[in-house]
Amino acid sequence: MFVVMAALVRRAVPLRLDAASTLQRRFLGGLMSSSSVNTIANFVPQQEAWIIERFGKFHRVAEAGFRFILPIVDHISYSQSLKEMAMDVPSQSGITSDNVTLSIDGVLYIKVIDPYKASYGIEDYVFAVSQLAQTTMRSEIGKITLDKIFQEREALNASIVST
């Protein structure tokens, strides 16, 4: 929670907002982050994409460069980083085909290719990719015997990446 002072008819009235409230997202827009302040002329930073909504509906994706955004009509609803992110996959147990339990972990590299789908297609794409990688890792370990796991490391990486 934080307090914002809203000027109403020459006097300040405190307005309490939750971090994820619609009122904050709509009317305060990008005032919380300096990179997405909605003025008429905007510079979208390199390796970033802004999702622009017009009257609450998707309008366009603004990619890096100089962009015009109408302050009252348009709203910067999402700001997606297009940089590659490294993410640690937590340690988990996997059972091989010859019933040996292994402790496995890993590192994921995630990069947003389509900012529209990353914003509207799923609630938390980072969590979803992590869960998919963990499930695939356990599934692929279950198909191989303990003797072959270190020999087929490249094939394991290829099958995890392909899903």
Side-chain angles (χ1 to χ4, degrees), residues 36-83:
S36 61
V37 174
N38 189 7
T39 58
I40 293 175
N42 293 285
F43 287 98
V44 180
Q46 185 68 33
Q47 293 297 317
E48 199 167 300
W50 291 349
I51 303 296
I52 310 293
E53 289 181 352
R54 180 165 283 176
F55 297 117
K57 184 179 174 190
F58 173 77
H59 178 59
R60 65 187 165 107
V61 175
E63 294 184 356
F66 184 71
R67 303 287 179 246
F68 290 104
I69 301 171
L70 302 173
I72 295 171
V73 179
D74 293 338
H75 172 70
I76 303 167
S77 58
Y78 296 99
S79 177
Q80 296 288 346
S81 175
L82 302 178
K83 295 178 184 175

Side-chain angles (χ1 to χ4, degrees), residues 135-144 149 155-156 159-160 163:
T135 303
T136 306
M137 220 177 350
R138 283 193 302 265
S139 172
E140 292 298 321
I141 291 289
K143 296 175 185 175
I144 305 172
I149 285 183
L156 280 172
S159 65
I160 290 171
T163 56

Side-chain angles (χ1 to χ4, degrees), residues 28-153:
L28 298 179
L31 295 179
M32 301 307 146
S33 103
S34 61
S35 65
S36 61
V37 174
N38 189 7
T39 58
I40 293 175
N42 293 285
F43 287 98
V44 180
Q46 185 68 33
Q47 293 297 317
E48 199 167 300
W50 291 349
I51 303 296
I52 310 293
E53 289 181 352
R54 180 165 283 176
F55 297 117
K57 184 179 174 190
F58 173 77
H59 178 59
R60 65 187 165 107
V61 175
E63 294 184 356
F66 184 71
R67 303 287 179 246
F68 290 104
I69 301 171
L70 302 173
I72 295 171
V73 179
D74 293 338
H75 172 70
I76 303 167
S77 58
Y78 296 99
S79 177
Q80 296 288 346
S81 175
L82 302 178
K83 295 178 184 175
E84 194 170 84
M85 299 181 289
M87 186 179 125
D88 187 37
V89 177
S91 182
Q92 59 186 334
S93 63
I95 301 173
T96 63
S97 64
D98 52 352
N99 282 337
V100 177
T101 303
L102 295 175
S103 178
I104 51 177
D105 61 354
V107 176
L108 280 176
Y109 293 95
I110 302 170
K111 184 175 181 179
V112 173
I113 303 297
D114 188 353
Y116 174 81
K117 288 183 180 176
S119 300
Y120 294 111
I122 192 165
E123 185 71 30
D124 187 2
Y125 68 89
V126 175
F127 177 73
V129 168
S130 171
Q131 294 300 309
L132 180 63
Q134 288 177 18
T135 303
T136 306
M137 220 177 350
R138 283 193 302 265
S139 172
E140 292 298 321
I141 291 289
K143 296 175 185 175
I144 305 172
T145 63
L146 180 64
D147 297 337
K148 302 255 183 192
I149 285 183
F150 292 112
Q151 295 172 357
E152 296 191 20
R153 196 171 184 167

